[in-house]
């Protein structure tokens, strides 16, 4: 019994590759090559060198003393916020650009909602001198002007998606269309543990550096590699997948996944997929997703742009279904309060996505002797205006 992926590309009943015929050659090329290429010594060397010298890894594991005192337990923060570009997303884009180079690709495409994945992709394309096209919904382009400017400054072309609701899912459709038309020279960098196999597994493996480091750092600090709890927020699920990866099958370690409840589970303005979702297929993967009675995907809502995805990755759907992970939903208000609290207790302004994970301490009581590792997935600079408006700072 494993909570990791099987040879067919499934986590339990979730995952697989449900794709249009025309996308088959692209996905098949990846599937046949990703494990072989990423296992090569030269790949691993370059990947780890860049993570060290360019991203700034290993990210510290910081014992948050005042936060721990307040909740009478022992809380470590895995500082992904200190990475270059301010979050965990760059771990994945570095991995995928190295893979794309080895597959002989000369052009990169990506989709982005809030713009964070677009920036992480434009960053590694600049680093490697590779052409970069980012698809983004027209509405999102208007809402996320600073990230659009960053992508342009980094040399990427930002193409507006003008169809449908003009948000993330339409941008994803445009990127898919581009890829179908450019199968030979183009690689599509997906931004989370979502999409058809092998994307969820590939992205999880690139993010797994997070739990690899946690193990080493906990041995140094606690004399054991096992915490009692791991906590991470889940949008698509990539920072969570990286946090859990090397602990998935070690059931001595409890796993907590935090979703965005938005204005509340029952308000119709939510992104709590595990509670509200049903099995279905989204972006080529069988997973849990929020949908209407007749199977239309529901538009999700969260104050945090990085968490308002209508599905979750198949790994997380399986962790939910099997009960391996405890899922907790946190409202906008609870998250904002937790973000302000961390700022004032520890001098760290977290991304609003991460603030959802931090709100767990108001929801659940831990024992004084518990050792908890929470993935501080990103920094709050990008969210400052949101915090200002919310708290009238
Ligand atoms: C994008 C983002 C997330 C959500 O994405 P996952 O794939 O679920 O990790 C969480 N935190 C931050 C800081 C992000 O930028």
């Amino acid at each position: 019994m494993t909570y990791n992926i099987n040879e067919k590309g499934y986590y339990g009943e979730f995952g697989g590759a449900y794709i249009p015929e025309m996308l088959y050659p692209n996905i098949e090329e990846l599937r046949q090559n990703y494990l072989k290429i990423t296992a090569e010594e030269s790949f691993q060397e370059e990947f780890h060198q860049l993570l060290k010298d360019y991203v700034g890894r290993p990210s510290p594991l910081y014992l948050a003393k005042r936060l721990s005192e307040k909740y009478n337990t022992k809380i470590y923060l895995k500082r992904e916020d200190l990475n270059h570009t301010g979050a965990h997303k760059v771990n994945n884009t570095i991995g995928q650009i190295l893979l794309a180079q080895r597959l002989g690709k000369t052009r990169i495409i990506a989709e982005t909602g809030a713009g964070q994945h677009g920036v992480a992709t434009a960053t590694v394309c600049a680093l490697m001198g590779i052409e970069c096209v980012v698809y983004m919904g027209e509405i999102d382009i208007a809402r996320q002007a600073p990230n659009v400017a960053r992508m342009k400054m980094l040399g990427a072309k930002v193409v507006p998606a003008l169809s449908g609701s003009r948000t993330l899912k339409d941008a994803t459709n445009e990127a898919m269309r581009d890829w179908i038309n450019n199968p030979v020279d183009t690689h599509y960098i997906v931004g989370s543990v979502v999409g058809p196999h092998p994307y969820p597994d590939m992205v999880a493996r690139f993010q797994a550096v997070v739990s690899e480091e946690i193990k080493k750092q906990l041995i140094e600090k606690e004399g054991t590699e096992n915490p009692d709890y791991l906590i991470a927020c889940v949008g698509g699920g990539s920072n969570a997948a990286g946090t859990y990866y090397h602990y998935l099958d070690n059931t001595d370690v409890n796993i907590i996944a935090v979703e965005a409840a938005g204005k509340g589970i029952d308000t119709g303005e939510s992104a709590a997929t595990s509670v509200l979702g049903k099995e279905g297929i989204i972006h080529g993967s069988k997973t849990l997703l929020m949908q209407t009675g007749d199977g239309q995907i529901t538009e999700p809502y969260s104050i945090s742009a990085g968490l308002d995805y209508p599905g979750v990755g198949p790994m997380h759907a399986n962790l939910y279904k099997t009960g391996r992970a405890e899922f907790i939903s946190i409202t906008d208000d609870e998250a904002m309060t937790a973000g302000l609290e961390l700022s004032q207790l520890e001098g760290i302004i977290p991304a609003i996505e991460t603030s959802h994970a931090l709100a767990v301490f108001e929801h659940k009581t831990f024992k004084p002797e518990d050792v908890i590792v929470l993935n501080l997935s990103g920094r709050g600079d990008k969210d400052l205006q949101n915090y200002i408006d919310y708290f009238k700072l």
Side-chain angles (χ1 to χ4, degrees):
M1 168 76 180
T2 178
Y3 294 96
N4 217 319
I5 200 159
N6 68 22
E7 322 77 63
K8 297 201 170 107
Y10 283 85
Y11 299 86
E13 63 194 90
F14 300 108
Y18 299 81
I19 49 169
E21 186 87 29
M22 285 183 298
L23 211 54
Y24 185 78
N26 313 42
I27 295 294
E28 190 56 15
E29 183 186 26
L30 265 190
R31 194 185 65 77
Q32 285 182 8
N33 289 293
Y34 83 110
L35 290 176
K36 193 172 69 197
I37 290 175
T38 54
E40 283 166 7
E41 204 178 303
S42 70
F43 181 97
Q44 283 297 321
E45 252 171 42
E46 196 176 353
F47 182 52
H48 286 285
Q49 193 74 45
L50 283 170
L51 289 181
K52 179 166 177 274
D53 297 335
Y54 188 72
V55 175
R57 307 201 70 90
S59 67
L61 186 69
Y62 165 66
L63 175 60
K65 283 222 183 72
R66 296 207 329 124
L67 188 69
S68 298
E69 253 164 47
K70 162 134 199 217
Y71 291 102
N72 194 26
T73 190
K74 199 165 192 182
I75 305 167
Y76 285 97
L77 303 176
K78 182 60 172 159
R79 298 290 309 274
E80 294 298 296
D81 61 314
L82 295 177
N83 292 341
H84 179 48
T85 67
H88 64 288
K89 285 192 171 74
V90 71
N91 303 324
N92 168 46
T93 56
I94 296 253
Q96 286 201 49
I97 197 103
L98 293 178
L99 180 65
Q101 282 181 319
R102 283 158 176 78
L103 287 170
K105 307 294 175 181
T106 54
R107 180 173 174 269
I108 295 293
I109 57 172
E111 86 294 339
T112 198
Q116 294 301 113
H117 173 57
V119 170
T121 301
T123 299
V124 298
C125 288
L127 176 69
M128 298 302 178
I130 294 184
E131 183 188 348
C132 181
V133 177
V134 179
Y135 290 94
M136 190 168 185
E138 192 182 32
I139 301 264
D140 289 333
I141 288 180
R143 285 195 291 211
Q144 310 287 345
N147 275 340
V148 175
R150 281 186 191 102
M151 286 184 263
K152 288 184 177 164
M153 181 137 183
L154 291 161
K157 186 173 162 205
V158 181
V159 179
L162 305 172
S163 63
S165 56
R166 293 173 291 153
T167 58
L168 178 61
K169 85 175 157 40
D170 314 290
T172 305
N173 291 340
E174 293 294 329
M176 292 276 183
R177 228 188 313 272
D178 180 314
W179 207 22
I180 287 169
N181 290 328
N182 300 284
V184 177
D185 69 338
T186 297
H187 174 69
Y188 180 8
I189 298 191
V190 171
S192 190
V193 286
V194 299
H197 179 63
Y199 277 106
D201 184 45
M202 182 168 73
V203 177
R205 284 166 183 268
F206 291 143
Q207 292 292 356
V209 65
V210 174
S211 47
E212 193 182 309
E213 289 174 5
I214 292 172
K215 283 193 161 193
K216 285 191 202 135
Q217 291 167 322
L218 269 186
I219 285 178
E220 256 171 48
K221 290 172 197 294
E222 293 289 330
T224 167
E225 61 180 26
N226 293 348
D228 296 294
Y229 290 90
L230 292 167
I231 304 177
C233 63
V234 175
S238 69
N239 86 88
T243 307
Y244 309 156
Y245 194 85
H246 291 288
Y247 295 104
L248 281 173
D249 292 336
N250 177 354
T251 48
D252 291 341
V253 178
N254 297 293
I255 292 178
I256 297 177
V258 185
E259 291 182 317
K263 297 194 172 153
I265 299 282
D266 302 320
T267 60
E269 292 186 82
S270 180
T273 307
S274 69
V275 187
L276 299 170
K278 292 194 185 60
E279 286 169 30
I281 290 168
I282 182 170
H283 299 144
S285 178
K286 187 172 172 197
T287 189
L288 291 173
L289 65 129
M290 294 172 21
Q291 50 189 310
T292 60
D294 54 1
Q296 291 291 337
I297 294 170
T298 334
E299 198 63 37
Y301 164 81
S302 163
I303 193 168
S304 145
L307 299 185
D308 69 353
Y309 183 67
V312 284
M315 175 198 282
H316 302 291
N318 187 50
L319 292 177
Y320 176 74
K321 190 80 186 256
T322 57
R324 171 69 183 95
E326 178 183 357
F327 279 68
I328 296 178
S329 344
I330 296 295
T331 63
D332 290 356
D333 292 336
E334 292 169 322
M336 296 305 271
T337 304
L340 185 66
E341 178 179 85
L342 186 76
S343 306
Q344 302 191 350
L345 282 178
E346 298 288 348
I348 300 170
I349 301 175
I352 297 178
E353 291 86 355
T354 317
S355 295
H356 286 73
L358 290 159
V360 160
F361 298 114
E362 285 289 339
H363 258 249
K364 185 179 168 79
T365 309
F366 297 91
K367 297 202 227 49
E369 66 272 22
D370 281 339
V371 171
I372 300 162
V373 174
L374 182 148
N375 190 350
L376 206 81
S377 57
R379 68 175 84 122
D381 307 27
K382 70 181 175 64
D383 296 319
L384 209 54
Q385 194 57 51
N386 256 336
Y387 282 126
I388 290 170
D389 294 345
Y390 186 88
F391 291 111
K392 315 214 173 347
L393 299 173

